[in-house]
Amino acid sequence: MPGGETTCMYEFMSYRLFGNADMKYIMRLAALRYALQNYGEYVNKLTGESGKGKSDSSRVKNAKLFFELHSIEFKKTESSSMDKCVLMSFTDLVREIANTGQGPFYVEFLRGALNCKIKQIFDFGLYKQNLSKIPGLYVTLTTSSPPERELNIFRMKTVRHGLSNNYKIVPLLKIEDCPETAI
């Protein structure tokens, strides 16, 4: 890890795959391209996940939880359908991911761009909600040829500038991936 810190997943993956940060911008663009190419599918899946609530208020609550986790406001108006509200919030999410590369869902776009499996493990104190109960968080698109490559990352809570909602990405390597000197 460069200096013990990684600013974003793109930088981490650039170091992991190429040994330096030179490819982080290319990876950011590849992830954004993947998100845009599959935009409609993601909106449909997220709308379906938030729609698993029985009442309209629970559907809105489900969508709010998902987007709040990514610091995106979900606004449901009486005149707009749930599909349109998810679409508008997802647009903000993609825009925010393109600018900052923050939040757990952007890893899904990078996963798709690299055609690899990425499993995220979260520090329990990192988020207020129980992540396994947030509809849509584990939405993924399947590829025609399942990837054999797999990366596991741990999102560890850190305190930066007095704020505790920051995280550090820590790679989790399988024993056979580690050099002998690291064991």
Side-chain angles (χ1 to χ4, degrees), residues 9-10 35 42 46 49 61-74 86 88-110 120 122 126-140 155 165 167:
M9 185 66 176
Y10 307 113
Y42 278 116
L46 290 172
E49 284 295 311
K61 181 182 171 193
N62 288 345
K64 278 185 177 183
L65 273 174
F66 173 81
F67 288 108
E68 180 183 298
L69 185 63
H70 296 86
S71 301
I72 302 294
E73 185 178 0
F74 179 78
V86 169
M88 291 170 56
S89 294
F90 189 73
T91 302
D92 291 342
L93 174 66
V94 170
R95 185 180 304 120
E96 190 62 25
I97 286 170
N99 291 329
T100 65
Q102 301 297 319
F105 199 72
Y106 80 98
V107 174
E108 164 62 15
F109 300 144
L110 185 58
Q120 299 182 82
F122 298 91
L126 186 57
Y127 298 105
K128 294 178 238 174
Q129 301 92 355
N130 180 346
L131 294 177
S132 65
K133 295 184 180 180
I134 296 180
L137 185 59
Y138 297 105
V139 160
T140 188
R155 289 177 176 267
N165 60 347
Y167 62 89

Short mmCIF file of all heavy atoms in Angstrom, two decimals, residues 9-10 35 42 46 49 61-74 86 88-110 120 122 126-140 155 165 167:
data_model
loop_
_atom_site.label_atom_id
_atom_site.label_comp_id
_atom_site.label_asym_id
_atom_site.label_seq_id
_atom_site.Cartn_x
_atom_site.Cartn_y
_atom_site.Cartn_z
N MET A 9 -10.41 3.00 -4.37
CA MET A 9 -10.32 1.63 -4.87
C MET A 9 -9.54 1.58 -6.19
O MET A 9 -8.81 0.63 -6.45
CB MET A 9 -11.72 1.06 -5.05
CG MET A 9 -11.75 -0.38 -5.44
SD MET A 9 -11.09 -1.41 -4.13
CE MET A 9 -11.37 -3.00 -4.82
N TYR A 10 -9.68 2.60 -7.02
CA TYR A 10 -8.99 2.62 -8.30
C TYR A 10 -7.48 2.64 -8.09
O TYR A 10 -6.73 1.95 -8.78
CB TYR A 10 -9.44 3.81 -9.14
CG TYR A 10 -10.93 3.90 -9.30
CD1 TYR A 10 -11.65 4.94 -8.74
CD2 TYR A 10 -11.62 2.91 -10.00
CE1 TYR A 10 -13.02 5.00 -8.88
CE2 TYR A 10 -13.00 2.98 -10.14
CZ TYR A 10 -13.69 4.03 -9.57
OH TYR A 10 -15.05 4.08 -9.71
N ALA A 35 -20.60 1.21 -15.92
CA ALA A 35 -21.84 1.67 -15.28
C ALA A 35 -22.80 2.26 -16.30
O ALA A 35 -24.00 1.97 -16.28
CB ALA A 35 -21.51 2.71 -14.21
N TYR A 42 -29.04 -1.84 -14.08
CA TYR A 42 -28.86 -1.53 -12.66
C TYR A 42 -30.08 -0.84 -12.08
O TYR A 42 -30.52 -1.16 -10.98
CB TYR A 42 -27.61 -0.67 -12.44
CG TYR A 42 -26.33 -1.45 -12.41
CD1 TYR A 42 -25.35 -1.27 -13.36
CD2 TYR A 42 -26.10 -2.41 -11.41
CE1 TYR A 42 -24.18 -1.99 -13.33
CE2 TYR A 42 -24.93 -3.13 -11.37
CZ TYR A 42 -23.97 -2.92 -12.33
OH TYR A 42 -22.80 -3.64 -12.30
N LEU A 46 -32.18 -2.34 -9.01
CA LEU A 46 -32.32 -1.58 -7.76
C LEU A 46 -33.78 -1.24 -7.48
O LEU A 46 -34.21 -1.26 -6.32
CB LEU A 46 -31.47 -0.31 -7.81
CG LEU A 46 -29.97 -0.53 -7.77
CD1 LEU A 46 -29.22 0.78 -8.02
CD2 LEU A 46 -29.55 -1.15 -6.44
N GLU A 49 -35.25 -4.39 -6.08
CA GLU A 49 -34.80 -4.64 -4.71
C GLU A 49 -35.54 -3.74 -3.72
O GLU A 49 -35.97 -4.19 -2.67
CB GLU A 49 -33.29 -4.43 -4.58
CG GLU A 49 -32.47 -5.55 -5.14
CD GLU A 49 -32.64 -6.85 -4.38
OE1 GLU A 49 -32.55 -6.86 -3.14
OE2 GLU A 49 -32.88 -7.87 -5.04
N LYS A 61 -38.43 3.57 2.14
CA LYS A 61 -37.42 3.39 3.19
C LYS A 61 -36.25 2.54 2.68
O LYS A 61 -35.09 2.87 2.93
CB LYS A 61 -38.04 2.73 4.41
CG LYS A 61 -37.08 2.53 5.55
CD LYS A 61 -37.74 1.82 6.71
CE LYS A 61 -36.68 1.45 7.75
NZ LYS A 61 -37.16 0.52 8.72
N ASN A 62 -36.55 1.46 1.95
CA ASN A 62 -35.50 0.61 1.39
C ASN A 62 -34.59 1.39 0.44
O ASN A 62 -33.37 1.28 0.49
CB ASN A 62 -36.11 -0.58 0.65
CG ASN A 62 -36.70 -1.61 1.57
OD1 ASN A 62 -36.44 -1.62 2.77
ND2 ASN A 62 -37.52 -2.48 1.02
N ALA A 63 -35.20 2.18 -0.44
CA ALA A 63 -34.42 2.97 -1.40
C ALA A 63 -33.60 4.03 -0.68
O ALA A 63 -32.43 4.26 -1.00
CB ALA A 63 -35.35 3.60 -2.43
N LYS A 64 -34.20 4.67 0.32
CA LYS A 64 -33.47 5.70 1.08
C LYS A 64 -32.24 5.11 1.76
O LYS A 64 -31.18 5.72 1.77
CB LYS A 64 -34.38 6.34 2.14
CG LYS A 64 -35.26 7.42 1.59
CD LYS A 64 -36.04 8.10 2.70
CE LYS A 64 -36.86 9.22 2.13
NZ LYS A 64 -37.59 9.97 3.14
N LEU A 65 -32.38 3.91 2.35
CA LEU A 65 -31.24 3.26 3.00
C LEU A 65 -30.09 3.02 2.03
O LEU A 65 -28.94 3.31 2.34
CB LEU A 65 -31.67 1.91 3.59
CG LEU A 65 -32.25 1.89 4.97
CD1 LEU A 65 -32.74 0.48 5.33
CD2 LEU A 65 -31.26 2.36 5.99
N PHE A 66 -30.42 2.50 0.85
CA PHE A 66 -29.39 2.22 -0.14
C PHE A 66 -28.66 3.49 -0.56
O PHE A 66 -27.43 3.55 -0.55
CB PHE A 66 -29.99 1.52 -1.37
CG PHE A 66 -28.99 1.36 -2.47
CD1 PHE A 66 -28.08 0.31 -2.44
CD2 PHE A 66 -28.95 2.25 -3.53
CE1 PHE A 66 -27.14 0.16 -3.45
CE2 PHE A 66 -28.02 2.10 -4.55
CZ PHE A 66 -27.11 1.06 -4.51
N PHE A 67 -29.40 4.52 -0.92
CA PHE A 67 -28.77 5.73 -1.42
C PHE A 67 -28.11 6.53 -0.29
O PHE A 67 -27.08 7.16 -0.52
CB PHE A 67 -29.78 6.58 -2.20
CG PHE A 67 -30.11 5.96 -3.53
CD1 PHE A 67 -31.34 5.38 -3.76
CD2 PHE A 67 -29.18 5.94 -4.56
CE1 PHE A 67 -31.64 4.79 -4.99
CE2 PHE A 67 -29.46 5.36 -5.79
CZ PHE A 67 -30.70 4.78 -6.00
N GLU A 68 -28.64 6.49 0.91
CA GLU A 68 -28.02 7.17 2.05
C GLU A 68 -26.62 6.62 2.32
O GLU A 68 -25.71 7.36 2.67
CB GLU A 68 -28.89 7.01 3.30
CG GLU A 68 -28.34 7.68 4.54
CD GLU A 68 -29.22 7.39 5.74
OE1 GLU A 68 -30.40 7.79 5.71
OE2 GLU A 68 -28.72 6.77 6.70
N LEU A 69 -26.46 5.33 2.15
CA LEU A 69 -25.16 4.69 2.35
C LEU A 69 -24.10 5.28 1.41
O LEU A 69 -22.93 5.28 1.71
CB LEU A 69 -25.29 3.18 2.10
CG LEU A 69 -24.09 2.32 2.36
CD1 LEU A 69 -23.72 2.37 3.84
CD2 LEU A 69 -24.37 0.90 1.96
N HIS A 70 -24.54 5.81 0.28
CA HIS A 70 -23.63 6.41 -0.70
C HIS A 70 -23.70 7.94 -0.67
O HIS A 70 -23.22 8.60 -1.59
CB HIS A 70 -23.99 5.91 -2.10
CG HIS A 70 -23.78 4.44 -2.24
ND1 HIS A 70 -24.75 3.52 -1.90
CD2 HIS A 70 -22.71 3.74 -2.64
CE1 HIS A 70 -24.27 2.31 -2.10
NE2 HIS A 70 -23.04 2.41 -2.55
N SER A 71 -24.30 8.49 0.38
CA SER A 71 -24.44 9.94 0.56
C SER A 71 -25.23 10.59 -0.57
O SER A 71 -24.95 11.71 -1.01
CB SER A 71 -23.07 10.62 0.70
OG SER A 71 -22.39 10.09 1.80
N ILE A 72 -26.24 9.88 -1.07
CA ILE A 72 -27.13 10.39 -2.11
C ILE A 72 -28.53 10.49 -1.51
O ILE A 72 -29.00 9.55 -0.88
CB ILE A 72 -27.18 9.42 -3.33
CG1 ILE A 72 -25.79 9.20 -3.92
CG2 ILE A 72 -28.17 9.91 -4.38
CD1 ILE A 72 -25.15 10.41 -4.55
N GLU A 73 -29.16 11.63 -1.72
CA GLU A 73 -30.51 11.81 -1.20
C GLU A 73 -31.52 11.17 -2.15
O GLU A 73 -31.48 11.40 -3.36
CB GLU A 73 -30.82 13.30 -1.04
CG GLU A 73 -32.15 13.56 -0.39
CD GLU A 73 -32.42 15.04 -0.19
OE1 GLU A 73 -31.58 15.87 -0.56
OE2 GLU A 73 -33.50 15.35 0.32
N PHE A 74 -32.39 10.35 -1.59
CA PHE A 74 -33.47 9.74 -2.37
C PHE A 74 -34.73 10.54 -2.10
O PHE A 74 -35.17 10.66 -0.96
CB PHE A 74 -33.68 8.28 -1.98
CG PHE A 74 -34.80 7.62 -2.74
CD1 PHE A 74 -34.59 7.20 -4.04
CD2 PHE A 74 -36.04 7.44 -2.16
CE1 PHE A 74 -35.62 6.60 -4.76
CE2 PHE A 74 -37.07 6.84 -2.87
CZ PHE A 74 -36.86 6.42 -4.17
N VAL A 86 -35.89 6.21 -8.42
CA VAL A 86 -34.66 5.40 -8.36
C VAL A 86 -33.73 5.83 -9.50
O VAL A 86 -32.53 5.98 -9.30
CB VAL A 86 -34.96 3.89 -8.40
CG1 VAL A 86 -33.70 3.08 -8.61
CG2 VAL A 86 -35.67 3.45 -7.13
N MET A 88 -33.47 8.75 -10.98
CA MET A 88 -32.87 10.05 -10.69
C MET A 88 -31.78 9.93 -9.63
O MET A 88 -30.70 10.51 -9.77
CB MET A 88 -33.95 11.03 -10.27
CG MET A 88 -34.88 11.39 -11.42
SD MET A 88 -36.36 12.31 -10.95
CE MET A 88 -35.69 13.71 -10.13
N SER A 89 -32.02 9.15 -8.60
CA SER A 89 -31.02 8.98 -7.54
C SER A 89 -29.83 8.18 -8.06
O SER A 89 -28.68 8.45 -7.69
CB SER A 89 -31.63 8.29 -6.33
OG SER A 89 -32.59 9.14 -5.74
N PHE A 90 -30.08 7.18 -8.90
CA PHE A 90 -28.99 6.39 -9.46
C PHE A 90 -28.11 7.26 -10.36
O PHE A 90 -26.90 7.10 -10.41
CB PHE A 90 -29.53 5.19 -10.22
CG PHE A 90 -28.46 4.22 -10.63
CD1 PHE A 90 -27.84 3.41 -9.68
CD2 PHE A 90 -28.06 4.11 -11.95
CE1 PHE A 90 -26.84 2.52 -10.05
CE2 PHE A 90 -27.07 3.21 -12.32
CZ PHE A 90 -26.45 2.42 -11.37
N THR A 91 -28.73 8.21 -11.08
CA THR A 91 -27.96 9.16 -11.89
C THR A 91 -27.01 9.93 -11.00
O THR A 91 -25.83 10.10 -11.33
CB THR A 91 -28.91 10.12 -12.63
OG1 THR A 91 -29.79 9.35 -13.45
CG2 THR A 91 -28.15 11.11 -13.49
N ASP A 92 -27.50 10.41 -9.85
CA ASP A 92 -26.63 11.12 -8.90
C ASP A 92 -25.53 10.20 -8.38
O ASP A 92 -24.39 10.63 -8.20
CB ASP A 92 -27.45 11.65 -7.72
CG ASP A 92 -28.38 12.79 -8.12
OD1 ASP A 92 -28.16 13.39 -9.20
OD2 ASP A 92 -29.32 13.07 -7.36
N LEU A 93 -25.87 8.94 -8.13
CA LEU A 93 -24.89 7.97 -7.64
C LEU A 93 -23.77 7.76 -8.65
O LEU A 93 -22.59 7.80 -8.31
CB LEU A 93 -25.57 6.63 -7.33
CG LEU A 93 -24.65 5.47 -6.95
CD1 LEU A 93 -23.96 5.74 -5.62
CD2 LEU A 93 -25.43 4.18 -6.88
N VAL A 94 -24.11 7.57 -9.92
CA VAL A 94 -23.10 7.38 -10.96
C VAL A 94 -22.24 8.64 -11.09
O VAL A 94 -21.02 8.56 -11.21
CB VAL A 94 -23.74 6.99 -12.31
CG1 VAL A 94 -22.72 7.01 -13.45
CG2 VAL A 94 -24.38 5.61 -12.20
N ARG A 95 -22.86 9.79 -11.03
CA ARG A 95 -22.12 11.06 -11.11
C ARG A 95 -21.14 11.17 -9.94
O ARG A 95 -19.98 11.52 -10.12
CB ARG A 95 -23.08 12.24 -11.12
CG ARG A 95 -22.40 13.58 -11.31
CD ARG A 95 -23.39 14.74 -11.32
NE ARG A 95 -24.42 14.57 -12.31
CZ ARG A 95 -25.73 14.52 -12.04
NH1 ARG A 95 -26.17 14.63 -10.81
NH2 ARG A 95 -26.61 14.36 -13.01
N GLU A 96 -21.60 10.84 -8.75
CA GLU A 96 -20.75 10.92 -7.56
C GLU A 96 -19.61 9.90 -7.63
O GLU A 96 -18.48 10.19 -7.25
CB GLU A 96 -21.60 10.68 -6.30
CG GLU A 96 -20.89 10.98 -5.02
CD GLU A 96 -20.46 12.42 -4.86
OE1 GLU A 96 -21.07 13.32 -5.47
OE2 GLU A 96 -19.47 12.66 -4.13
N ILE A 97 -19.90 8.72 -8.11
CA ILE A 97 -18.87 7.69 -8.25
C ILE A 97 -17.82 8.14 -9.26
O ILE A 97 -16.63 7.94 -9.06
CB ILE A 97 -19.50 6.34 -8.66
CG1 ILE A 97 -20.22 5.75 -7.44
CG2 ILE A 97 -18.47 5.37 -9.20
CD1 ILE A 97 -21.08 4.56 -7.75
N ALA A 98 -18.24 8.79 -10.34
CA ALA A 98 -17.29 9.28 -11.33
C ALA A 98 -16.38 10.34 -10.73
O ALA A 98 -15.20 10.40 -11.04
CB ALA A 98 -18.04 9.85 -12.53
N ASN A 99 -16.92 11.15 -9.82
CA ASN A 99 -16.14 12.24 -9.23
C ASN A 99 -15.27 11.79 -8.07
O ASN A 99 -14.13 12.24 -7.93
CB ASN A 99 -17.07 13.36 -8.74
CG ASN A 99 -17.72 14.08 -9.89
OD1 ASN A 99 -17.15 14.19 -10.96
ND2 ASN A 99 -18.92 14.56 -9.68
N THR A 100 -15.78 10.92 -7.20
CA THR A 100 -15.06 10.61 -5.97
C THR A 100 -14.62 9.17 -5.82
O THR A 100 -13.66 8.88 -5.12
CB THR A 100 -15.93 10.95 -4.73
OG1 THR A 100 -17.07 10.09 -4.72
CG2 THR A 100 -16.35 12.40 -4.73
N GLY A 101 -15.34 8.23 -6.41
CA GLY A 101 -14.99 6.82 -6.24
C GLY A 101 -15.20 6.33 -4.82
O GLY A 101 -14.46 5.50 -4.33
N GLN A 102 -16.20 6.83 -4.14
CA GLN A 102 -16.47 6.45 -2.77
C GLN A 102 -17.73 5.61 -2.67
O GLN A 102 -18.56 5.63 -3.56
CB GLN A 102 -16.63 7.70 -1.89
CG GLN A 102 -15.43 8.60 -1.89
CD GLN A 102 -14.20 7.93 -1.31
OE1 GLN A 102 -14.27 7.22 -0.32
NE2 GLN A 102 -13.08 8.12 -1.95
N GLY A 103 -17.89 4.91 -1.57
CA GLY A 103 -19.08 4.11 -1.33
C GLY A 103 -18.92 2.69 -1.83
O GLY A 103 -18.17 2.43 -2.77
N PRO A 104 -19.61 1.76 -1.19
CA PRO A 104 -19.41 0.35 -1.53
C PRO A 104 -19.91 -0.07 -2.91
O PRO A 104 -19.37 -1.00 -3.49
CB PRO A 104 -20.17 -0.40 -0.43
CG PRO A 104 -21.02 0.61 0.24
CD PRO A 104 -20.47 1.96 -0.04
N PHE A 105 -20.90 0.60 -3.47
CA PHE A 105 -21.46 0.12 -4.73
C PHE A 105 -20.56 0.38 -5.93
O PHE A 105 -20.61 -0.33 -6.92
CB PHE A 105 -22.85 0.73 -4.97
CG PHE A 105 -23.67 -0.03 -5.98
CD1 PHE A 105 -24.20 -1.27 -5.66
CD2 PHE A 105 -23.91 0.48 -7.24
CE1 PHE A 105 -24.95 -1.98 -6.59
CE2 PHE A 105 -24.67 -0.22 -8.17
CZ PHE A 105 -25.19 -1.46 -7.83
N TYR A 106 -19.69 1.39 -5.84
CA TYR A 106 -18.83 1.66 -6.98
C TYR A 106 -17.87 0.51 -7.25
O TYR A 106 -17.39 0.33 -8.36
CB TYR A 106 -18.08 2.98 -6.84
CG TYR A 106 -16.86 2.94 -5.95
CD1 TYR A 106 -15.59 2.82 -6.50
CD2 TYR A 106 -16.98 3.05 -4.58
CE1 TYR A 106 -14.47 2.79 -5.70
CE2 TYR A 106 -15.86 3.03 -3.79
CZ TYR A 106 -14.60 2.91 -4.34
OH TYR A 106 -13.51 2.88 -3.54
N VAL A 107 -17.63 -0.32 -6.24
CA VAL A 107 -16.80 -1.51 -6.43
C VAL A 107 -17.47 -2.46 -7.42
O VAL A 107 -16.82 -3.15 -8.18
CB VAL A 107 -16.51 -2.20 -5.07
CG1 VAL A 107 -15.77 -3.50 -5.26
CG2 VAL A 107 -15.71 -1.26 -4.18
N GLU A 108 -18.80 -2.47 -7.44
CA GLU A 108 -19.54 -3.29 -8.39
C GLU A 108 -19.21 -2.88 -9.83
O GLU A 108 -19.03 -3.73 -10.70
CB GLU A 108 -21.05 -3.19 -8.13
CG GLU A 108 -21.94 -3.67 -9.25
CD GLU A 108 -21.79 -5.15 -9.60
OE1 GLU A 108 -21.20 -5.93 -8.83
OE2 GLU A 108 -22.24 -5.54 -10.69
N PHE A 109 -19.11 -1.59 -10.09
CA PHE A 109 -18.78 -1.13 -11.44
C PHE A 109 -17.36 -1.54 -11.82
O PHE A 109 -17.11 -1.96 -12.95
CB PHE A 109 -18.93 0.39 -11.56
CG PHE A 109 -20.32 0.88 -11.28
CD1 PHE A 109 -20.51 2.08 -10.62
CD2 PHE A 109 -21.44 0.17 -11.67
CE1 PHE A 109 -21.79 2.55 -10.36
CE2 PHE A 109 -22.72 0.63 -11.41
CZ PHE A 109 -22.89 1.83 -10.76
N LEU A 110 -16.44 -1.42 -10.88
CA LEU A 110 -15.05 -1.83 -11.15
C LEU A 110 -14.98 -3.34 -11.36
O LEU A 110 -14.27 -3.81 -12.24
CB LEU A 110 -14.14 -1.40 -10.00
CG LEU A 110 -12.65 -1.67 -10.20
CD1 LEU A 110 -12.13 -0.97 -11.45
CD2 LEU A 110 -11.88 -1.23 -8.98
N GLN A 120 -16.47 -7.69 -0.67
CA GLN A 120 -16.18 -6.65 0.31
C GLN A 120 -16.60 -7.12 1.70
O GLN A 120 -17.70 -7.63 1.88
CB GLN A 120 -16.96 -5.37 -0.02
CG GLN A 120 -16.60 -4.78 -1.35
CD GLN A 120 -17.35 -3.50 -1.59
OE1 GLN A 120 -16.96 -2.46 -1.12
NE2 GLN A 120 -18.45 -3.59 -2.33
N PHE A 122 -16.93 -5.61 5.60
CA PHE A 122 -17.01 -4.29 6.20
C PHE A 122 -16.72 -4.32 7.70
O PHE A 122 -17.14 -5.23 8.40
CB PHE A 122 -18.42 -3.71 5.99
CG PHE A 122 -18.76 -3.50 4.55
CD1 PHE A 122 -19.39 -4.50 3.82
CD2 PHE A 122 -18.45 -2.32 3.91
CE1 PHE A 122 -19.71 -4.32 2.48
CE2 PHE A 122 -18.76 -2.13 2.58
CZ PHE A 122 -19.40 -3.13 1.87
N LEU A 126 -18.28 0.84 10.75
CA LEU A 126 -18.15 1.79 9.65
C LEU A 126 -19.48 2.44 9.27
O LEU A 126 -19.54 3.62 8.99
CB LEU A 126 -17.54 1.08 8.45
CG LEU A 126 -17.19 1.92 7.23
CD1 LEU A 126 -16.23 3.04 7.61
CD2 LEU A 126 -16.58 1.06 6.16
N TYR A 127 -20.53 1.65 9.26
CA TYR A 127 -21.83 2.18 8.85
C TYR A 127 -22.84 1.99 9.98
O TYR A 127 -22.75 1.07 10.77
CB TYR A 127 -22.32 1.45 7.59
CG TYR A 127 -21.39 1.66 6.42
CD1 TYR A 127 -20.54 0.64 5.99
CD2 TYR A 127 -21.34 2.88 5.76
CE1 TYR A 127 -19.67 0.84 4.93
CE2 TYR A 127 -20.47 3.07 4.70
CZ TYR A 127 -19.65 2.05 4.29
OH TYR A 127 -18.79 2.25 3.25
N LYS A 128 -23.82 2.88 10.01
CA LYS A 128 -24.84 2.82 11.06
C LYS A 128 -25.77 1.62 10.92
O LYS A 128 -26.24 1.08 11.87
CB LYS A 128 -25.69 4.11 11.03
CG LYS A 128 -24.94 5.36 11.39
CD LYS A 128 -25.86 6.56 11.29
CE LYS A 128 -25.26 7.54 10.32
NZ LYS A 128 -26.08 8.66 10.03
N GLN A 129 -26.04 1.23 9.68
CA GLN A 129 -26.99 0.16 9.43
C GLN A 129 -26.29 -1.19 9.32
O GLN A 129 -25.11 -1.27 9.03
CB GLN A 129 -27.75 0.41 8.12
CG GLN A 129 -28.53 1.68 8.07
CD GLN A 129 -27.71 2.82 7.48
OE1 GLN A 129 -26.55 2.70 7.19
NE2 GLN A 129 -28.34 3.97 7.33
N ASN A 130 -27.07 -2.24 9.51
CA ASN A 130 -26.59 -3.60 9.25
C ASN A 130 -26.61 -3.78 7.73
O ASN A 130 -27.67 -3.79 7.12
CB ASN A 130 -27.50 -4.62 9.94
CG ASN A 130 -27.05 -6.03 9.71
OD1 ASN A 130 -26.23 -6.32 8.84
ND2 ASN A 130 -27.60 -6.94 10.50
N LEU A 131 -25.43 -3.89 7.13
CA LEU A 131 -25.34 -3.89 5.67
C LEU A 131 -26.07 -5.05 5.02
O LEU A 131 -26.55 -4.93 3.89
CB LEU A 131 -23.88 -3.89 5.24
CG LEU A 131 -23.12 -2.62 5.62
CD1 LEU A 131 -21.67 -2.74 5.23
CD2 LEU A 131 -23.74 -1.41 4.96
N SER A 132 -26.18 -6.17 5.70
CA SER A 132 -26.86 -7.32 5.08
C SER A 132 -28.35 -7.06 4.92
O SER A 132 -29.02 -7.75 4.17
CB SER A 132 -26.63 -8.58 5.92
OG SER A 132 -27.24 -8.44 7.19
N LYS A 133 -28.87 -6.05 5.58
CA LYS A 133 -30.30 -5.75 5.49
C LYS A 133 -30.60 -4.58 4.55
O LYS A 133 -31.73 -4.13 4.47
CB LYS A 133 -30.85 -5.44 6.88
CG LYS A 133 -30.79 -6.66 7.79
CD LYS A 133 -31.42 -6.37 9.11
CE LYS A 133 -31.34 -7.63 9.98
NZ LYS A 133 -31.93 -7.44 11.27
N ILE A 134 -29.60 -4.08 3.85
CA ILE A 134 -29.84 -2.96 2.94
C ILE A 134 -30.13 -3.51 1.55
O ILE A 134 -29.25 -4.07 0.89
CB ILE A 134 -28.63 -2.00 2.91
CG1 ILE A 134 -28.46 -1.36 4.29
CG2 ILE A 134 -28.81 -0.94 1.83
CD1 ILE A 134 -27.33 -0.40 4.41
N PRO A 135 -31.38 -3.39 1.09
CA PRO A 135 -31.75 -3.91 -0.22
C PRO A 135 -30.94 -3.23 -1.32
O PRO A 135 -30.74 -2.02 -1.30
CB PRO A 135 -33.22 -3.55 -0.35
CG PRO A 135 -33.69 -3.31 1.03
CD PRO A 135 -32.50 -2.77 1.78
N GLY A 136 -30.45 -4.01 -2.24
CA GLY A 136 -29.73 -3.46 -3.39
C GLY A 136 -28.23 -3.41 -3.25
O GLY A 136 -27.54 -3.28 -4.24
N LEU A 137 -27.72 -3.49 -2.03
CA LEU A 137 -26.28 -3.32 -1.84
C LEU A 137 -25.50 -4.42 -2.55
O LEU A 137 -24.43 -4.17 -3.07
CB LEU A 137 -25.92 -3.31 -0.36
CG LEU A 137 -24.45 -3.02 -0.07
CD1 LEU A 137 -24.04 -1.67 -0.64
CD2 LEU A 137 -24.18 -3.07 1.41
N TYR A 138 -26.03 -5.60 -2.62
CA TYR A 138 -25.31 -6.71 -3.25
C TYR A 138 -25.84 -7.04 -4.64
O TYR A 138 -25.63 -8.14 -5.13
CB TYR A 138 -25.32 -7.93 -2.33
CG TYR A 138 -24.61 -7.63 -1.03
CD1 TYR A 138 -25.32 -7.41 0.14
CD2 TYR A 138 -23.23 -7.51 -1.00
CE1 TYR A 138 -24.67 -7.11 1.32
CE2 TYR A 138 -22.56 -7.21 0.18
CZ TYR A 138 -23.28 -7.00 1.33
OH TYR A 138 -22.64 -6.69 2.50
N VAL A 139 -26.51 -6.08 -5.26
CA VAL A 139 -26.96 -6.26 -6.64
C VAL A 139 -25.72 -6.36 -7.52
O VAL A 139 -24.79 -5.58 -7.40
CB VAL A 139 -27.84 -5.07 -7.08
CG1 VAL A 139 -27.91 -4.96 -8.59
CG2 VAL A 139 -29.23 -5.19 -6.50
N THR A 140 -25.70 -7.34 -8.38
CA THR A 140 -24.59 -7.51 -9.30
C THR A 140 -25.12 -8.02 -10.63
O THR A 140 -26.17 -8.64 -10.68
CB THR A 140 -23.53 -8.48 -8.71
OG1 THR A 140 -22.39 -8.47 -9.54
CG2 THR A 140 -24.05 -9.88 -8.55
N ARG A 155 -12.99 -3.16 4.41
CA ARG A 155 -13.14 -1.72 4.61
C ARG A 155 -13.04 -1.44 6.10
O ARG A 155 -13.94 -1.75 6.86
CB ARG A 155 -14.48 -1.23 4.07
CG ARG A 155 -14.54 -1.26 2.57
CD ARG A 155 -15.92 -0.84 2.10
NE ARG A 155 -15.97 -0.77 0.67
CZ ARG A 155 -15.73 0.35 -0.02
NH1 ARG A 155 -15.43 1.46 0.59
NH2 ARG A 155 -15.78 0.34 -1.33
N ASN A 165 -16.25 8.58 9.70
CA ASN A 165 -16.94 7.83 8.66
C ASN A 165 -16.04 7.60 7.44
O ASN A 165 -16.50 7.30 6.37
CB ASN A 165 -18.24 8.50 8.24
CG ASN A 165 -18.01 9.89 7.69
OD1 ASN A 165 -16.95 10.47 7.83
ND2 ASN A 165 -19.03 10.44 7.07
N TYR A 167 -12.86 5.46 5.57
CA TYR A 167 -12.45 4.07 5.59
C TYR A 167 -11.13 3.92 4.86
O TYR A 167 -10.74 4.74 4.05
CB TYR A 167 -13.50 3.16 4.95
CG TYR A 167 -13.75 3.47 3.50
CD1 TYR A 167 -13.00 2.86 2.52
CD2 TYR A 167 -14.73 4.38 3.12
CE1 TYR A 167 -13.20 3.14 1.19
CE2 TYR A 167 -14.93 4.66 1.79
CZ TYR A 167 -14.17 4.05 0.83
OH TYR A 167 -14.37 4.34 -0.48
#
